[in-house]
Amino acid sequence: MSTRTRFAPSPTGYMHIGGMRTALFAWLWARHTGGAFILRIDDTDRQRNIDEALGPILNAFRWLGLNWDEGPEVGGADGPYFQSQRSDLYRAACDRLLAEGKAYRDFDSPEVVQADRQAAEKEKRPYINVRRSLDLTPQQVEEHLAAGRPHVIRFLVPRDRSEKVAIDDAVRGHVEWDAALLSDPVIMRSDGSPLYNFATVVDDGQMRITHVIRAEEHLSNTPVQVLMHEALGYELPAFAHIPFVTAPGSTKKLSKRDVDKYKNNPQFKRMFERADAVFPQLGLGTSETLNPVMVEYYERIGYLPQAVLNALARLGWSLDDKTEIMSLDTVIENFTLDRVVKNCAGLDPDKLFAFQSHWMSEVPLDEKVVRCGDHLRTAGLVHDPLEPAARERITAVVTALGDRLKLYSDILDVDYFFKDEIVYDEKNFAKRVAKDGTPELLAEFASSHLEPLSTADWTAERLEAELNAFSEAKGVSSGLLIHALRLSTTGQAVGPGVYDALVLVGREKSLERITAALMKARNS
RNA sequence: GGCCCCAUCGUCUAGUCAGGUCUAGGACAUCGGAUUUUCAGUCCGAGAACAGGGGUUCGAAUCCCCUUGGGGUCACCA
């Protein structure tokens, strides 16, 4: 039988990076086995603004290139793929259970149930729901029904079953539970809508899912689901509970609720700072609106899908003892569930960045130019990046940047190549320019060696030769002038090689900026 | 608290199922050196781990038990 895996997100308005990893593993297993990957939307709870809430999720899949064989937009034979449109299926399954005595109507009010729970807690004994409604005679049930008395429907756990409820999890191995300790799960609310635990079983059964690959936090839902699969006569799928992704340097599940804490996390901190530096320029808000818990963060800040995919694949899975850099095709070819690690894995921003460095080095110049052009246009630094002169300039800058360009948004750090005014890195300006003797040296170099140069002679080679000749004659380290020149003409301490930078800034503007810097140094 | 899961360098991991070849391998990060009389980068190198205790065995990171620690989950959420 052909493999069928699924990912069933709830439309929350964003795609969680940890959820993305779970989805990736399910997708990978389907692709590795030549099976089907199904996207199913768990929207039993919220029906409003479904498009708005679903958009970012589908976008995340598209950005990473993870296609789905059945689901929203593409349809499929086992649809619909929105739980909100599958009510009849749940109703029918529930009726069947009811008719077979495998489920029952529970007339206890939420308050009563709550009191039971509290009583159990007080007496320090495990809570299992009290089956009062089971004592009702058929006649009493009819009366309650006729009276329109609100009730839920619970699945009747076979607590007296002799053997344990067990699964052979593809990643965790044999796991078993004692059915006698299980509470009867509510499968239908009093308003007639299904609960997740039930809907999932009905969907997985009806869609003939062969491998339920999901995050570890669902492990404790598994026993009742197994029982419900059995009760409904579905063939039990294989389960693979993969570890969840934790926050960097933590053992706790990565959660959007904790973003405020993450801002102080030493490893996460830089990502938030980067967001606050970049997103406002792109009109995307700040780290408040887009943060590293969301997949969109990575897309917008200029990560490569290859890098994110590589990092995600290596989080809880490995090919062997040395392979780190892997294309999606390589991962598909080698992905197996038995090589999924059992313990939870912390998202590592540094490692992701390292993957990014590698994959960015594989991107052709033209592609980099186009993507950087997009960022520049969005930031208002370039009107039309496709216009020949602009394109040429962007190409020159990207070339000069070389492998310094790690994220596409890095292009915004060299905005001084695209606008007139520059922002000084004050600390480094003081250190490299406004210090003993340097302004005088710089002034002399500018007037004696730079100003005489014609625009045609304003080349990296010539500039380097002039600078070397001057510093040799003066008996000073060339590094002194190199730093002073960079700070003066770009305002920054880091950037392309200084001769390239001077060429990019141009003769005219370079001289102007040096003059301005000298004035600034004198006044400080 | 009940139930369940997990435990190798700071981090991600290889090795665990089929004990020896593991004085525990790789990657990221860190530190040091080289290079560019420039930041970055690149190259080379270094430090860095089997949670603890009992067993079984000639031999245990690997098998068994206990302890400790971490985590998940206990809804008319998903």
Side-chain angles (χ1 to χ4, degrees), chain A residues 61-363:
Chain A
F61 277 84
R62 279 190 279 259
W63 177 57
L64 292 175
L66 306 182
N67 59 323
W68 54 99
D69 303 296
E70 297 172 31
E73 297 177 0
V74 300
D78 295 306
Y81 294 90
F82 289 84
Q83 288 191 332
S84 59
Q85 296 167 21
R86 300 172 59 82
S87 306
D88 292 350
L89 260 1
Y90 308 133
R91 187 76 251 169
C94 181
D95 287 345
R96 221 165 81 217
L97 254 20
L98 236 24
E100 293 172 13
K102 293 171 179 170
Y104 63 100
R105 300 178 194 278
D106 183 356
F107 294 93
D108 284 355
S109 69
E111 291 73 30
V112 170
V113 174
Q114 178 67 6
D116 287 346
R117 188 173 294 119
Q118 279 166 354
E121 206 168 302
K122 208 169 175 181
E123 294 166 37
K124 290 192 168 25
R125 61 180 160 77
Y127 166 76
I128 310 185
N129 72 302
V130 184
R131 296 165 161 174
R132 292 191 191 81
S133 294
L134 233 39
D135 296 332
L136 264 27
T137 63
Q139 204 174 351
Q140 285 173 306
V141 171
E142 283 308 317
E143 280 168 22
H144 284 333
L145 249 26
R149 194 165 154 184
H151 64 279
V152 296
I153 297 171
R154 286 183 189 271
F155 174 71
L156 183 65
V157 170
R159 290 189 192 145
D160 54 355
R161 131 206 264 270
S162 50
E163 71 272 28
K164 302 246 185 182
V165 184
I167 57 167
D168 287 298
D169 194 278
V171 347
R172 325 204 83 83
H174 187 83
V175 185
E176 58 179 32
W177 298 264
D178 188 345
L181 269 25
L182 265 23
S183 238
D184 298 328
V186 174
I187 59 177
M188 285 288 191
R189 294 187 182 89
S190 48
D191 67 1
S193 62
L195 271 99
Y196 162 80
N197 246 345
F198 181 59
T200 283
V201 172
V202 173
D203 292 341
D204 286 341
Q206 187 262 344
M207 291 181 183
R208 307 180 326 279
I209 300 301
T210 60
H211 297 256
V212 173
I213 299 172
R214 50 159 45 154
E216 186 193 344
E217 65 243 43
H218 289 282
L219 192 54
S220 46
N221 285 330
T222 309
V224 291
Q225 291 183 4
V226 168
L227 258 12
M228 286 193 275
H229 264 102
E230 287 176 2
L232 288 165
Y234 296 137
E235 193 174 332
L236 194 66
F239 289 94
H241 287 95
I242 68 177
F244 47 80
V245 174
T246 67
S250 135
T251 49
K252 291 203 171 44
K253 199 166 75 173
L254 183 66
S255 165
K256 197 186 172 219
R257 279 198 306 274
D258 294 329
V259 284
D260 285 338
K261 273 191 258 167
Y262 299 157
K263 287 177 189 167
N264 299 317
N265 175 311
Q267 295 160 84
F268 244 156
K269 204 174 175 180
R270 284 216 304 264
M271 300 189 108
F272 280 93
E273 286 170 353
R274 188 71 194 157
D276 287 329
V278 168
F279 292 149
Q281 296 184 66
L282 300 175
L284 291 170
T286 62
S287 62
E288 291 289 325
T289 44
L290 228 43
N291 65 61
V293 174
M294 312 182 217
V295 176
E296 192 180 354
Y297 167 96
Y298 302 90
E299 177 184 4
R300 301 292 198 162
I301 215 153
Y303 275 93
L304 258 10
Q306 301 94 297
V308 172
L309 250 10
N310 200 155
L312 253 25
R314 279 291 289 109
L315 218 52
W317 179 81
S318 66
L319 196 166
D320 55 26
D321 60 344
K322 50 178 72 73
T323 311
E324 295 284 340
I325 301 292
M326 289 173 275
S327 67
L328 190 54
D329 284 343
T330 303
V331 180
I332 290 172
E333 192 183 328
N334 295 284
F335 185 84
T336 54
L337 259 12
D338 62 349
R339 286 200 66 83
V340 173
V341 163
K342 287 189 184 70
N343 48 333
C344 56
L347 181 70
D348 187 344
D350 287 331
K351 193 128 186 178
L352 168 62
F353 196 73
F355 283 125
Q356 172 73 5
S357 295
H358 173 267
W359 288 106
M360 189 56 103
S361 73
E362 306 257 296
V363 175

Side-chain angles (χ1 to χ4, degrees), chain A residues 497-511:
Chain A
V498 72
Y499 309 111
D500 288 335
L502 285 169
V503 170
L504 285 165
V505 172
R507 177 182 184 277
E508 215 72 354
K509 206 180 278 182
S510 291
L511 293 172

